[in-house]
DNA sequence: ATGCAGAAATTGGTCTGACCATTGTACCAT
DNA sequence: ATGGTACAATGGTCAGACCAATTTCTGCAT
């Protein structure tokens, strides 16, 4: 049977988002750009400001847009007409177990990204990654410890070169949550110290085009982080903080 | 009924969600249950209906709640106080490349889940997986082809036994999107036919407690699916459908 | 001219009260 | 019982106003 019902019920807020997506595309707005005022949109679209706000609230919830009172509404991510939304919500349980769970997810993704990266990286891409690696290594030696920012840059370069934008999106989202809830994970200083040498071995396998080797080194890298965290957790428990 | 206290600060819509989460927990509401009217909430929380609606719009966007005009607002998923939201949105681009991208994500997660499953599965869990495997194999032989449902049951069993609920949540969400947009992937019949034998090898590695072996077999399994799809895509192109 | 403090305009956030569209229910005629 | 109709409840939209944070403008002192 032909599916007839999609007739225009009361779904104006949805329509607003479609029109707004068209607008963003037509105006070639990029992340960081400001989009029209709620009042302007309301007038131009001939709908109430309430409806515009409901629509923008949806986009805000999806992380597509950021609202700043007194300033405006800003684009936060690229918008296209055919977007898939995959809202995951799970109980965090601010505990150690949950942290391990997110790390296991990251391990699977990190390993796959490294493998794909090894397959698809050309000389130019290898050079980019090498540069990030050296910046990270220099930061490590000069400050005698892992540097979150430079470390993250290195990993992101791998996700980008993997040729699959989903890796960066998913892991970045997790990374953001990670830092929001465990700002200083379990009080572990030199967090990830032991993982340092594996950054270079991962790079070497990628440069050699060795997918399975890169996957293996990436797995080892995350494993050392996991071990670090477990040790930190055990210390906390022994100290009676838990 | 739990007594819903009034609110004051500015971040009201956010505060509404916290209180509402408390309410849902206290009332032990389960998915499918109806939660209070917008007007009732507005009155009990001493907040305008507008604010209540903005809050509910957020939950709706996250898939936690479903609104039915004329009927009410219904809980759609379990709610806890500390929930992490990971809204992913990416361009679908109903094309072959996007399908491959989602499959690469799944490969990384599937491999990790299988490895963890091998580490943590006790005799009872192994038995559960074996049962799912045999149901699937029987369906395969009697109907001379892969059966989506039984295949999916088998994989889900692995996610559950992995001891990490995130695997099931993430892959299930992707699976749902997958089927919504590529109902019959590229017209490939016997989709995943070649992957059949690897289900048993994955099971065997899990039963043996061989994490790396399980990871390897899972990788091979997804690789065959990928190869199947590539072949189907090539066929379509050759036939001039694209 | 320049720099800076305060006023004014801008913008998102909330409120109020009303009406519309859809759904569920009770009641009535058959 | 059956089916239809009126009515109440509920989410969706609207209009206009005010609040709070931010930005921009203005004018005075330097």
């Amino acid at each position: 049977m032909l599916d007839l019902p999609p007739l225009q019920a009361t779904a104006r807020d949805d329509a607003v988002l479609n029109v707004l997506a068209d607008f963003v595309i037509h105006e070639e707005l990029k992340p960081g750009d400001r989009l029209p005022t709620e009042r302007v949109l309301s007038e131009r679209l001939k709908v109430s400001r309430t409806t515009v706000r409901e629509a923008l609230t949806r986009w805000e919830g999806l992380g597509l847009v950021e609202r700043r009172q007194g300033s405006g509404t800003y684009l936060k991510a690229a918008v296209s007409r055919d977007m898939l939304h995959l809202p995951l919500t799970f109980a965090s349980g601010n505990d150690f177990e949950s942290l391990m769970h997110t790390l296991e997810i990251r391990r699977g993704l990190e390993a796959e990204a490294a493998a794909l990266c090894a397959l698809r990286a050309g000389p130019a891409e290898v050079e980019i990654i090498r540069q990030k690696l050296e910046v990270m290594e220099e930061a490590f030696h000069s400050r005698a410890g892992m540097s979150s920012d430079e470390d993250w840059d290195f990993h992101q370069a791998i996700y980008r070169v993997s040729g699959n934008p989903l890796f960066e999106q998913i892991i970045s989202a997790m990374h953001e949550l990670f830092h929001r809830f465990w700002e200083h994970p379990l009080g572990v200083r030199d967090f990830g110290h032991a993982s340092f040498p594996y950054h270079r071995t991962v790079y070497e396998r990628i440069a050699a085009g060795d997918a399975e080797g890169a996957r293996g080194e990436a797995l080892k890298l995350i494993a050392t982080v996991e071990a670090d965290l477990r040790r930190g957790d055990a210390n906390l428990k022994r100290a009676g903080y838990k």
Side-chain angles (χ1 to χ4, degrees), chain A:
Chain A
M1 192 187 332
L2 183 61
D3 107 278
L4 297 168
L7 185 54
Q8 182 184 8
T10 52
R12 286 190 232 266
D13 58 343
D14 231 24
V16 167
L17 287 186
N18 286 332
V19 175
L20 194 52
D22 287 343
F23 175 80
V24 168
I25 294 167
H26 183 266
E27 294 287 303
E28 298 179 3
L29 297 184
K30 298 185 300 181
D33 290 349
R34 213 184 87 162
L35 39 85
T37 303
E38 293 177 355
R39 289 169 174 88
V40 171
L41 286 175
S42 145
E43 183 191 350
R44 301 275 300 248
L45 297 177
K46 294 284 186 284
V47 296
S48 78
R49 197 178 147 218
T50 308
T51 305
V52 171
R53 280 187 60 76
E54 288 241 352
L56 287 177
T57 299
R58 281 187 161 67
W59 270 16
E60 191 187 26
L62 291 170
L64 288 178
V65 116
E66 179 185 350
R67 289 150 123 172
R68 290 209 284 272
Q69 186 174 180
S71 176
T73 304
Y74 298 83
L75 208 55
K76 221 174 132 189
V79 166
S80 65
R81 195 173 288 89
D82 45 13
M83 287 183 297
L84 294 185
H85 303 300
L86 185 63
L88 296 175
T89 115
F90 45 88
S92 83
N94 214 354
D95 54 30
F96 180 74
E97 194 184 20
S98 302
L99 199 159
M100 284 297 111
H101 285 167
T102 65
L103 203 57
E104 285 163 5
I105 299 294
R106 178 169 174 189
R107 180 165 54 187
L109 295 176
E110 192 88 27
E112 187 65 29
L116 290 172
C117 184
L119 286 178
R120 318 224 244 241
E125 286 79 17
V126 169
E127 177 57 25
I128 291 173
I129 297 174
R130 190 181 62 76
Q131 183 184 329
K132 301 285 186 188
L133 172 69
E134 289 178 352
V135 168
M136 191 210 74
E137 288 182 337
E138 205 232 347
F140 179 85
H141 288 126
S142 67
R143 292 199 290 238
M146 285 297 286
S147 162
S148 293
D149 290 343
E150 286 83 357
D151 176 70
W152 181 238
D153 281 347
F154 172 75
H155 288 285
Q156 274 190 312
I158 292 179
Y159 309 147
R160 293 210 180 89
V161 174
S162 77
N164 186 340
L166 296 185
F167 283 108
E168 186 177 2
Q169 285 190 30
I170 297 176
I171 304 181
S172 289
M174 293 185 65
H175 189 259
E176 196 179 322
L177 279 187
F178 192 88
H179 273 64
R180 182 135 41 99
F181 281 81
W182 299 283
E183 193 67 31
H184 294 295
L186 305 166
V188 180
R189 280 179 300 283
D190 281 345
F191 167 61
H193 188 107
S195 70
F196 174 74
Y198 289 104
H199 288 74
R200 177 159 281 275
T201 60
V202 167
Y203 159 74
E204 285 168 353
R205 297 336 299 153
I206 288 174
D210 175 12
E212 291 314 309
R215 186 196 307 275
E217 294 303 319
L219 286 172
K220 288 188 208 164
L221 191 159
I222 304 290
T224 63
V225 174
E226 188 178 321
D228 265 6
L229 289 177
R230 283 195 192 286
R231 199 173 325 122
D233 184 55
N235 284 340
L236 279 186
K237 279 182 182 151
R238 191 178 327 122
Y241 284 133
K242 224 172 186 182

